[in-house]
Amino acid sequence: MPRPRKINMAPAEVRDWLKEALRDSGWSGYERITEDLNAKLQEEGIELQIGKSAVHEYGQEYREFVKYQEQASQWAESWMTDNGLEEEAQRHNVLFQMLTTLAFKFMQQEMGKENGEIDPRELHFIGKMMKDVMASSGIREKLMDDERGRIALKAKEEAAGDMAKAATQLGMTAETVEAIREQILFGGKR
C-alpha cells in the first residue's frame, strides 16, 4: 500500500486554502504558493513540510479535476436545456456535480494504477449510476412523455394535411377544409 501523500495529511481547511490559492493564481506561481502553504502549516503548529513538486503535482491534478467538473456540468446543463428540462437542471445540478466528481476521482485512481487502463466493467457501473439518477429524477419519464407528444402531434399534422388535400380535391371550400383541419389538430378547442 503506497504511503499517503503529504498534502493529504494536511488538515481539510489547509487543503481548501491550497485549492483556492491554486485557482486564484491561475494555476501558476507554485513556488510562492508552496512557501505560503508551509508557512500556514507552521502557523497551525503542524510539523509538515511540503515540497514544490508535490504542490505542483497536486495543483495539476486539481486543475484537471476542475476542468472535467466544469465540462461535465456544462454538458449536463446543455443536454437538459436541449431537452426542455431547465427546471430539472437546476434541481439536479448538485447531484450531477457530485456524480461527476466521483467519476473523475475513480477514473483518476484507475489511471494512476500500473497499467493506466480503466476496466470497462467499472465504466459500466458509472453509466448505470447515471442512468439510475436520471430515472429517479423523472428526467427519463419527461423525455419519454415529450417524445410521445411530439410523435402524436406529427401524426395529427400528417393526417390533417392528407385530409386537407383530399377535401380540396373533392371541392370543399377553404373555410370548410380549415375547420376540419383544426378539428383534427385541436379537437375544436381553439
Side-chain angles (χ1 to χ4, degrees):
M1 185 169 187
R3 248 179 58 215
R5 297 187 328 182
K6 284 185 177 181
I7 288 179
N8 292 337
M9 295 166 64
E13 57 272 4
V14 173
R15 289 193 313 268
D16 290 343
W17 171 88
L18 177 59
K19 289 175 182 176
E20 188 176 325
L22 291 165
R23 282 191 310 265
D24 291 348
S25 72
W27 315 103
S28 62
Y30 286 99
E31 196 167 309
R32 181 188 47 77
I33 292 172
T34 302
E35 290 170 5
D36 293 347
L37 173 63
N38 285 320
K40 190 166 197 57
L41 289 169
Q42 192 174 18
E43 285 173 15
E44 300 277 333
I46 300 167
E47 294 184 26
L48 185 64
Q49 286 288 311
I50 299 175
K52 180 182 164 236
S53 61
V55 171
H56 185 266
E57 181 181 341
Y58 183 81
Q60 294 305 304
E61 289 174 2
Y62 183 60
R63 182 180 187 178
E64 282 291 304
F65 170 75
V66 168
K67 180 179 104 180
Y68 289 130
Q69 190 174 34
E70 287 172 353
Q71 287 174 346
S73 179
Q74 289 170 357
W75 172 84
E77 186 176 326
S78 173
W79 181 84
M80 291 179 142
T81 300
D82 290 349
N83 287 291
L85 301 169
E86 295 86 0
E87 291 176 23
E88 289 286 325
Q90 291 172 357
R91 283 194 294 261
H92 298 292
N93 190 32
V94 172
L95 184 57
F96 271 100
Q97 285 190 2
M98 289 171 58
L99 288 173
T100 302
T101 302
L102 289 172
F104 174 80
K105 284 182 178 181
F106 165 75
M107 288 188 288
Q108 184 181 34
Q109 181 183 27
E110 290 297 302
M111 293 301 288
K113 289 183 178 177
E114 191 148 329
N115 63 2
E117 293 182 19
I118 298 175
D119 184 346
R121 291 173 293 187
E122 299 296 333
L123 287 176
H124 165 77
F125 292 123
I126 293 173
K128 183 173 179 349
M129 183 172 51
M130 295 295 284
K131 178 183 168 221
D132 290 347
V133 168
M134 288 174 62
S136 71
S137 66
I139 294 171
R140 196 168 129 233
E141 288 76 12
K142 176 150 177 37
L143 286 173
M144 290 170 61
D145 288 345
D146 290 350
E147 184 63 11
R148 281 188 211 107
R150 187 190 67 75
I151 290 169
L153 180 60
K154 185 176 178 184
K156 280 184 173 183
E157 287 171 347
E158 288 175 1
D162 291 344
M163 182 286 316
K165 185 188 282 184
T168 302
Q169 288 173 350
L170 292 173
M172 293 184 180
T173 66
E175 292 82 21
T176 303
V177 170
E178 184 58 28
I180 294 171
R181 185 182 155 290
E182 284 198 23
Q183 183 67 35
I184 291 171
L185 288 176
F186 308 109
K189 297 178 185 174
R190 198 162 190 206

